[in-house]
Amino acid sequence: MLTAETSLAMRDFISVVGESNVNTNAADLRAAERGTFPTGHRIPAIVRPANRDEVQECLRTANRHRCSVYPISSGRNWGYGSRVPAADGCVLLDLGRMNRIVDFNEELGYVTVEPGVTQAQLQAFLAEHKSRLWMDSTGASPDCSVIGNTVERGFGHTPYGDHFAHSCAYEVVLPSGDILDTGFGRFAAASAAPLYRWGVGPVLDGLFSQSNFGIVTRMTIWLMPAPEYFQAYYFQCPEPDQLPAIIDALRPLRMNGTIRSSSHIGNDYKVLSALEQYPWKATGGRTPLEGDLLLNMRRELRIGAWNGSGALYGTRAQVKEARRLITQALKGKAARLQFLDDKRLEMAERFAGIYQMLTGWNLKRTLAVLRPVYGLMKGIPTDRPLASTYWRKRMPPPESMDPDRDGCGLLWCSPVAPNDGRHAKLITTIASEIILRHGFEPMISLTVLTDRTLSCIVSLGYDRDVAGEDDRAMACYRELLDRLALQGYYSYRLSVGAMKSMGEPGTYHKLLEALKRTLDPNDVLAPGRYVAPTAPARR
Amino acid sequence: MLTAETSLAMRDFISVVGESNVNTNAADLRAAERGTFPTGHRIPAIVRPANRDEVQECLRTANRHRCSVYPISSGRNWGYGSRVPAADGCVLLDLGRMNRIVDFNEELGYVTVEPGVTQAQLQAFLAEHKSRLWMDSTGASPDCSVIGNTVERGFGHTPYGDHFAHSCAYEVVLPSGDILDTGFGRFAAASAAPLYRWGVGPVLDGLFSQSNFGIVTRMTIWLMPAPEYFQAYYFQCPEPDQLPAIIDALRPLRMNGTIRSSSHIGNDYKVLSALEQYPWKATGGRTPLEGDLLLNMRRELRIGAWNGSGALYGTRAQVKEARRLITQALKGKAARLQFLDDKRLEMAERFAGIYQMLTGWNLKRTLAVLRPVYGLMKGIPTDRPLASTYWRKRMPPPESMDPDRDGCGLLWCSPVAPNDGRHAKLITTIASEIILRHGFEPMISLTVLTDRTLSCIVSLGYDRDVAGEDDRAMACYRELLDRLALQGYYSYRLSVGAMKSMGEPGTYHKLLEALKRTLDPNDVLAPGRYVAPTAPARR
């Protein structure tokens, strides 16, 4: 399976990182080639550099042998391709060993990390230093790389939810092996380097986000000071058509700074998949889940057609005023608006049993879902949402979850829409119709990531071990991307299988290609990842 | 003065924009070659395209004839070079005729503008549409271009003060004449194009800011919703050494979102130059202004060693709480903390005469300065700060001010420092010492532009009509840049005479050069502006 060139390259990779850090074990390679949807790209080896110098040498080796490499940080790009390269035959450059936290400043609120630093590690680091700073976490997993998620422009749930917008001072190894520092980082001892994004002259950070122009080996991440007081809010819409009014009611509060973090609104399927697995028994094995059965489950589990959450950060008086404004805005538009703080959450957990006796409602189960979401709004990573990737599996989520290994089918489609009720309705209606028609459940969330936009995440969950399911899911996914694009909704991020959705050939692609030729003339770094060497064909 | 190539090019420029839009009048060219400090670059002609197509044709013409062009929007880049190109012999491409506001959305808060749209024009447009949106203005002048300031990463005083951070969807004419749309703009009818900055794939906006990689012919600018209630605050430090404590006291409030806009802290000279011209009589013609005379003026005009201002935006309760927190934070650290809203300002203006009778203090004069600053915090453009460029002149500012024409010497040095008292003290101490030693007055402001940084603006004002003064000022300016850089403080923006301060040769420059060669092989677009075709020599 190794080409002659790759075999020669392997010898050099070994001399760079040592024999124990070049893995050609067939089982390990097959595992790395397996994501949560079908991909055909093979990986001839996994190389694990220990530091920046080794990354530089690896890229020089790759150029010498015209051997492509594909960097991963933690490789948990689930739903978008996991560890699987965007092209066939790439050596996986696993940056997991580079996991140092190299700088930390409590007063100015930042850390500087390497690509192997995970959300859990950063969380533990902050706890260990008794820091009053909060990180922002994605819901994906505690083991996700902080840098990996940031360069992919992933997001979380605190006021620092837009990760890319809260990072700076990238140290980048270019395909040539040269080191580039973005922002003021190129100047010796520039005191504002970790603090000011733009530097002087052209701003280059964006070139290294969603691209294959360089490997980010270090990055500064800003952290928010813990607020004096924190309060989460939750609400529901019993009816699907209440969504537009909710979006329009919350927009002014987001735009005027009353709501500083990303409100998150999930549909019934989304919440259901967090609480339960597919009701195989009740449906008699039929899919998709629909109609009365869905309604009954919604009622039983007290789930709305739409379910919102968000949080308030500030002094007690600031939170109180925000709460008043939210209550006023949602009046008559949402049901079950509730505010929760640490004290109330603790109370609820303590008295859940009694509550169930009195009301019959299994509050414990709700709290089990609610607690991690509550934590995410404080930036605490959780692996709870990962369980929902087992939605369609016939086995329960195992202790140690691994959707790639366990054949969990997962495809994420992530179109961005204006923060406007009309668009919220249209985008979710289109997505739901397509997914149900293909026999799956549309799990949809809308995150008010920025003042003006909704990040819509449509997740397509299925069981890869069911024959034919991979194909059906891919057909559904492609229709989703195409139909949404036709309506003007484009994804903020693409899976390794959907890089053709970068658009029609044009000046943008010509420019990217020219940049790629300039920076990586041998096309050795992550070929096909967002930037293809030739203009993509019409989909 | 025209080279043969330029003469030939001129014929083609005329065929593109029409004879009346190619200006080779000697007096006009000499005026355009004149900034607020000495520059030697000559301009053979001024070409004024009417629209994007003409800009494309102008660039194609430039390439055909290897004739450099230098775009200006309004040409009011005072203190950084006015209209003067960064290289000799460039045809000035004056985009002033492209002044359409091509899109506007009240609900989602944005406008899309062309480069000729000025601050005053946008302000008038919003008033005309009875918009509840506020723009953000720089203090430079109502006639400044919105795009021009944004691509230079200029700033203002509202929560949208960081202009570059509040813009997206650039339409760029590349040096080849091709059109590039950044963000989602490249997709047909992408509904989030004017709303979501990053798009999908590499983020390219930054390439067209502080560079010579393309001409931005259209840009979306986000606008903030007018708050329910607005209150400005002002404070003073009688003693210079109170500055660090103030910076450190305000930082937590900025970082936790209580203060959402850019607080501005100016030294005595800065405020003085806004109120008066140089006291030639009292000093008997001696410079710089120092010692008892300065202290007397400070006392008489009620100016502090440091003078702070900022504003609060929100509901009444939000502003009230912010006010409480600011009062608490500044207690014992600042004097004369005052809060001012529309009603109180109106009262003060009405009763200024009586107030002066009672107290002897000329409140009217203070209000004349205060009113424009108050307006800026609401995004209202003003030409009041422009008067201070006449500080050292022996004539009063004329009705129609033009610092280029009137020989007002002005050099702006704009280092960025951490938002930290120790750095604030160091940077201002170094700058003051250098400027006074060179015989000028250090007019310094610190703007808390982002949560973590201070944008320090050191303005060096002098009279170009005094023999030798240009040379003395330039020597002072160079020492400023060098000494501050040695201490780790680098400018966020450079004057056309200081492009060598882009740093030592290295990977960053190699990359910029490679990009420049790729995008502009004939180096026709703004040669030498931030990106030089060869690595800059060691300063």
Side-chain angles (χ1 to χ4, degrees):
Chain A
M1 134 109 236
L2 288 185
T3 65
E5 263 309 344
T6 309
S7 303
L8 284 173
M10 227 38 72
R11 214 187 39 202
D12 285 4
F13 281 127
I14 289 172
S15 78
V16 174
V17 300
E19 191 140 23
S20 60
N21 291 303
V22 175
N23 186 349
T24 52
N25 174 288
D28 292 343
L29 297 180
R30 292 311 80 75
E33 288 163 0
R34 189 172 160 83
T36 60
F37 53 85
T39 53
H41 300 151
R42 288 156 305 173
I43 298 168
I46 302 170
V47 173
R48 307 182 72 234
N51 52 49
R52 189 192 68 182
D53 293 355
E54 290 187 7
V55 172
Q56 292 179 274
E57 276 313 313
C58 285
L59 281 167
R60 289 181 188 128
T61 300
N63 271 293
R64 237 176 3 252
H65 297 281
R66 303 287 191 274
C67 163
S68 303
V69 295
Y70 187 88
I72 58 166
S73 299
S74 69
R76 281 164 179 78
N77 196 18
W78 290 316
Y80 295 108
S82 306
R83 288 174 288 180
V84 186
D88 192 38
C90 296
V91 167
L92 215 55
L93 214 57
D94 179 345
L95 308 176
R97 288 171 72 206
M98 298 172 63
N99 64 355
R100 291 181 308 156
I101 294 173
V102 292
D103 194 8
F104 169 58
N105 188 312
E106 175 82 20
E107 286 197 340
L108 290 163
Y110 68 86
V111 281
T112 303
V113 298
E114 292 185 334
V117 173
T118 63
Q119 299 198 118
Q121 185 186 346
L122 179 51
Q123 180 70 18
F125 175 89
L126 294 175
E128 190 191 316
H129 285 76
K130 301 197 187 346
S131 174
R132 289 281 302 155
L133 297 170
W134 283 2
M135 64 184 286
D136 185 278
S137 290
T138 77
S141 157
D143 298 327
C144 281
S145 157
V146 173
I147 285 186
N149 188 268
T150 303
V151 294
E152 279 298 290
R153 304 204 284 269
F155 59 84
H157 303 270
T158 73
Y160 285 36
D162 183 350
H163 293 170
F164 178 64
H166 292 87
S167 66
C168 73
Y170 299 0
E171 176 191 80
V172 182
V173 180
L174 298 178
S176 62
D178 289 343
I179 304 289
L180 175 81
D181 287 291
T182 68
F184 282 134
R186 74 176 183 276
F187 295 108
S191 54
L195 307 170
Y196 185 76
R197 280 193 96 186
W198 316 131
V200 61
V203 180
L204 303 181
D205 296 19
L207 284 184
F208 304 101
S209 163
Q210 293 190 359
S211 84
N212 54 14
F213 294 146
I215 298 178
V216 178
T217 48
R218 195 175 280 195
M219 183 188 276
T220 294
I221 304 284
W222 295 333
L223 304 172
M224 73 175 272
E228 178 190 303
Y229 182 56
F230 170 89
Q231 200 169 54
Y233 57 88
Y234 300 88
F235 60 85
Q236 293 186 357
C237 305
E239 300 303 325
D241 60 10
Q242 290 175 294
L243 178 66
I246 293 290
I247 297 291
D248 291 335
L250 291 176
R251 181 182 57 244
L253 299 183
R254 170 83 196 187
M255 284 187 65
N256 72 20
T258 298
I259 298 179
R260 291 164 53 220
S261 65
S262 319
S263 315
H264 184 274
I265 302 174
N267 71 354
D268 43 8
Y269 290 111
K270 182 86 184 174
V271 178
L272 198 54
S273 70
L275 283 164
E276 309 254 314
Q277 284 186 281
Y278 194 85
W280 290 115
K281 240 188 224 157
T283 54
R286 272 188 312 277
T287 55
L289 176 64
E290 277 186 293
D292 282 348
L293 190 53
L294 172 66
L295 289 179
N296 287 340
M297 291 185 79
R298 241 157 73 170
R299 207 162 320 143
E300 190 204 331
L301 295 163
R302 303 203 177 191
I303 299 171
W306 291 99
N307 307 272
S309 63
L312 305 171
Y313 308 77
T315 61
R316 286 199 171 257
Q318 284 169 340
V319 170
K320 188 180 162 197
E321 173 67 356
R323 179 177 164 153
R324 179 183 75 81
L325 294 167
I326 289 173
T327 307
Q328 193 180 65
L330 294 183
K331 198 171 178 186
K333 301 189 179 81
R336 290 197 180 137
L337 175 62
Q338 285 183 25
F339 295 86
L340 199 60
D341 61 11
D342 291 351
K343 209 178 265 177
R344 289 191 63 170
L345 181 59
E346 198 194 306
M347 290 272 281
E349 280 168 345
R350 199 186 310 168
F351 296 111
I354 298 172
Y355 189 84
Q356 183 167 13
M357 284 202 309
L358 292 173
T359 66
W361 182 27
N362 187 346
L363 184 60
K364 267 199 178 135
R365 188 164 51 176
T366 304
L367 286 172
V369 175
L370 194 136
R371 166 64 87 174
V373 173
Y374 184 87
L376 274 176
M377 292 191 276
K378 297 171 120 182
I380 301 167
T382 170
D383 64 1
R384 193 66 185 67
L386 197 54
S388 66
T389 62
Y390 290 80
W391 164 250
R392 280 279 197 107
K393 301 299 287 185
R394 304 266 177 167
M395 70 191 218
E399 185 66 30
S400 161
M401 293 181 281
D402 182 343
D404 294 332
R405 177 197 64 203
D406 294 335
C408 303
L410 178 65
L411 281 156
W412 270 336
C413 171
S414 43
V416 179
N419 185 4
D420 175 285
R422 188 175 61 82
H423 286 282
K425 184 179 173 180
L426 187 57
I427 199 167
T428 54
T429 304
I430 294 170
S432 298
E433 185 277 323
I434 294 171
I435 294 180
L436 284 168
R437 177 158 44 75
H438 282 266
F440 303 103
E441 291 75 35
M443 296 155 189
I444 302 180
S445 68
L446 296 162
T447 300
V448 189
L449 182 58
T450 71
D451 289 3
R452 291 167 178 75
T453 58
L454 302 171
S455 293
C456 177
I457 303 291
V458 183
S459 83
L460 192 56
Y462 67 100
D463 185 353
R464 296 199 65 196
D465 294 332
V466 172
E469 201 92 330
D470 263 346
D471 290 346
R472 282 198 294 279
M474 288 306 283
C476 175
Y477 176 67
R478 282 195 209 98
E479 186 178 340
L480 259 181
L481 285 176
D482 287 348
R483 275 282 305 284
L484 289 172
L486 266 179
Q487 288 288 338
Y489 305 118
Y490 294 88
S491 287
Y492 88 92
R493 178 176 178 181
L494 295 172
S495 80
V496 289
M499 292 299 167
K500 285 191 177 120
S501 298
M502 282 289 287
E504 303 292 310
T507 307
Y508 179 82
H509 290 282
K510 268 170 60 185
L511 177 60
L512 293 192
E513 284 166 43
L515 294 179
K516 182 67 174 169
R517 273 195 306 273
T518 301
L519 288 165
D520 186 10
N522 301 320
D523 199 24
V524 296
L525 182 58
R529 186 164 184 81
Y530 290 102
V531 182
T534 55
R538 215 193 134 81
R539 289 178 48 91
Chain B
M1 137 108 233
L2 289 186
T3 64
E5 261 312 344
T6 309
S7 302
L8 285 173
M10 226 39 70
R11 215 188 37 203
D12 285 3
F13 281 126
I14 288 173
S15 79
V16 174
V17 300
E19 191 141 23
S20 61
N21 290 304
V22 175
N23 185 350
T24 51
N25 174 288
D28 292 343
L29 298 179
R30 292 312 80 78
E33 287 164 1
R34 188 171 160 83
T36 61
F37 53 85
T39 53
H41 299 151
R42 286 157 305 172
I43 298 167
I46 303 170
V47 173
R48 307 182 71 232
N51 53 49
R52 190 192 67 180
D53 294 355
E54 290 188 8
V55 172
Q56 292 180 274
E57 275 313 312
C58 284
L59 280 168
R60 290 180 188 129
T61 300
N63 271 293
R64 233 173 10 248
H65 296 282
R66 303 288 193 274
C67 162
S68 303
V69 295
Y70 187 87
I72 59 168
S73 300
S74 69
R76 281 164 180 78
N77 196 18
W78 290 314
Y80 295 109
S82 307
R83 288 175 286 179
V84 186
D88 193 37
C90 296
V91 167
L92 215 56
L93 215 56
D94 179 345
L95 309 175
R97 289 171 71 205
M98 298 171 64
N99 62 355
R100 290 181 309 157
I101 294 173
V102 292
D103 194 8
F104 168 59
N105 189 312
E106 175 83 20
E107 285 197 343
L108 290 162
Y110 68 85
V111 280
T112 303
V113 297
E114 292 185 333
V117 172
T118 64
Q119 301 197 117
Q121 185 186 347
L122 179 51
Q123 179 70 20
F125 175 89
L126 294 174
E128 189 191 317
H129 285 76
K130 300 198 187 348
S131 174
R132 289 281 303 155
L133 299 169
W134 283 1
M135 62 183 287
D136 185 279
S137 290
T138 77
S141 155
D143 298 327
C144 281
S145 157
V146 172
I147 286 187
N149 189 268
T150 303
V151 295
E152 278 298 290
R153 302 205 285 271
F155 58 85
H157 303 270
T158 74
Y160 284 35
D162 184 349
H163 293 169
F164 178 64
H166 293 86
S167 66
C168 73
Y170 300 179
E171 175 191 80
V172 182
V173 179
L174 297 178
S176 62
D178 288 345
I179 303 290
L180 176 82
D181 287 291
T182 69
F184 282 134
R186 74 175 182 277
F187 296 109
S191 55
L195 306 169
Y196 185 75
R197 280 195 97 185
W198 315 133
V200 60
V203 180
L204 302 182
D205 295 18
L207 284 184
F208 304 100
S209 161
Q210 294 191 357
S211 84
N212 53 15
F213 294 147
I215 298 178
V216 178
T217 47
R218 197 175 277 196
M219 181 188 278
T220 294
I221 304 283
W222 295 334
L223 304 173
M224 72 176 274
E228 177 189 306
Y229 182 56
F230 169 90
Q231 198 169 55
Y233 56 88
Y234 299 88
F235 60 85
Q236 293 187 355
C237 304
E239 300 303 324
D241 60 10
Q242 289 176 296
L243 177 66
I246 293 291
I247 297 290
D248 291 335
L250 291 177
R251 182 182 56 244
L253 299 184
R254 171 81 196 188
M255 284 186 66
N256 73 19
T258 298
I259 298 178
R260 292 164 53 221
S261 65
S262 319
S263 314
H264 183 276
I265 303 175
N267 71 354
D268 43 8
Y269 291 110
K270 182 84 183 178
V271 178
L272 198 53
S273 70
L275 284 165
E276 310 254 313
Q277 284 187 281
Y278 194 85
W280 290 115
K281 240 189 222 157
T283 53
R286 273 186 312 275
T287 55
L289 176 63
E290 275 187 295
D292 283 348
L293 189 53
L294 172 66
L295 289 179
N296 286 342
M297 290 185 79
R298 241 157 73 172
R299 208 163 317 142
E300 189 204 332
L301 295 165
R302 304 203 176 188
I303 299 172
W306 290 100
N307 308 272
S309 62
L312 305 170
Y313 308 77
T315 62
R316 286 199 170 257
Q318 285 169 339
V319 169
K320 188 180 163 198
E321 174 65 356
R323 180 178 164 152
R324 180 184 75 81
L325 294 166
I326 289 173
T327 306
Q328 194 181 64
L330 294 183
K331 198 174 178 186
K333 299 189 181 80
R336 291 196 179 139
L337 175 62
Q338 285 184 27
F339 294 86
L340 198 61
D341 61 11
D342 291 352
K343 209 179 263 177
R344 288 192 63 170
L345 181 60
E346 196 193 306
M347 288 271 283
E349 280 169 343
R350 198 186 310 167
F351 297 111
I354 297 172
Y355 188 84
Q356 182 169 12
M357 282 202 311
L358 292 172
T359 66
W361 182 27
N362 187 346
L363 183 61
K364 268 199 177 135
R365 189 162 51 179
T366 304
L367 286 172
V369 175
L370 194 136
R371 166 64 87 172
V373 173
Y374 183 89
L376 274 176
M377 292 190 277
K378 297 172 118 183
I380 301 167
T382 169
D383 64 1
R384 194 64 186 69
L386 197 55
S388 65
T389 61
Y390 290 80
W391 164 249
R392 281 279 197 108
K393 302 298 286 185
R394 305 266 176 166
M395 69 189 215
E399 186 64 30
S400 161
M401 293 182 283
D402 183 341
D404 295 332
R405 177 197 62 202
D406 294 334
C408 304
L410 178 65
L411 281 155
W412 270 337
C413 170
S414 44
V416 179
N419 185 4
D420 175 286
R422 188 176 61 81
H423 285 283
K425 183 179 174 180
L426 187 57
I427 200 168
T428 54
T429 304
I430 294 170
S432 296
E433 186 278 323
I434 293 171
I435 293 181
L436 284 168
R437 178 158 44 73
H438 282 267
F440 303 103
E441 290 76 36
M443 295 155 189
I444 302 179
S445 68
L446 296 162
T447 300
V448 189
L449 182 58
T450 72
D451 290 4
R452 291 166 177 77
T453 58
L454 302 171
S455 293
C456 177
I457 303 290
V458 183
S459 82
L460 191 55
Y462 67 100
D463 184 352
R464 296 198 67 196
D465 294 331
V466 172
E469 201 92 329
D470 263 346
D471 290 346
R472 282 198 296 277
M474 287 306 285
C476 174
Y477 176 67
R478 284 196 207 98
E479 186 178 339
L480 260 180
L481 285 175
D482 287 349
R483 276 281 305 285
L484 290 171
L486 266 179
Q487 289 286 337
Y489 304 118
Y490 293 89
S491 286
Y492 88 92
R493 177 176 179 181
L494 296 172
S495 80
V496 288
M499 292 298 167
K500 285 188 175 123
S501 298
M502 282 290 288
E504 305 292 311
T507 307
Y508 179 82
H509 289 282
K510 268 170 61 187
L511 178 60
L512 293 194
E513 284 166 43
L515 294 179
K516 182 67 175 171
R517 271 195 306 273
T518 302
L519 288 165
D520 186 10
N522 300 320
D523 199 23
V524 296
L525 183 57
R529 186 163 183 83
Y530 289 103
V531 183
T534 56
R538 214 193 135 77
R539 287 177 51 87

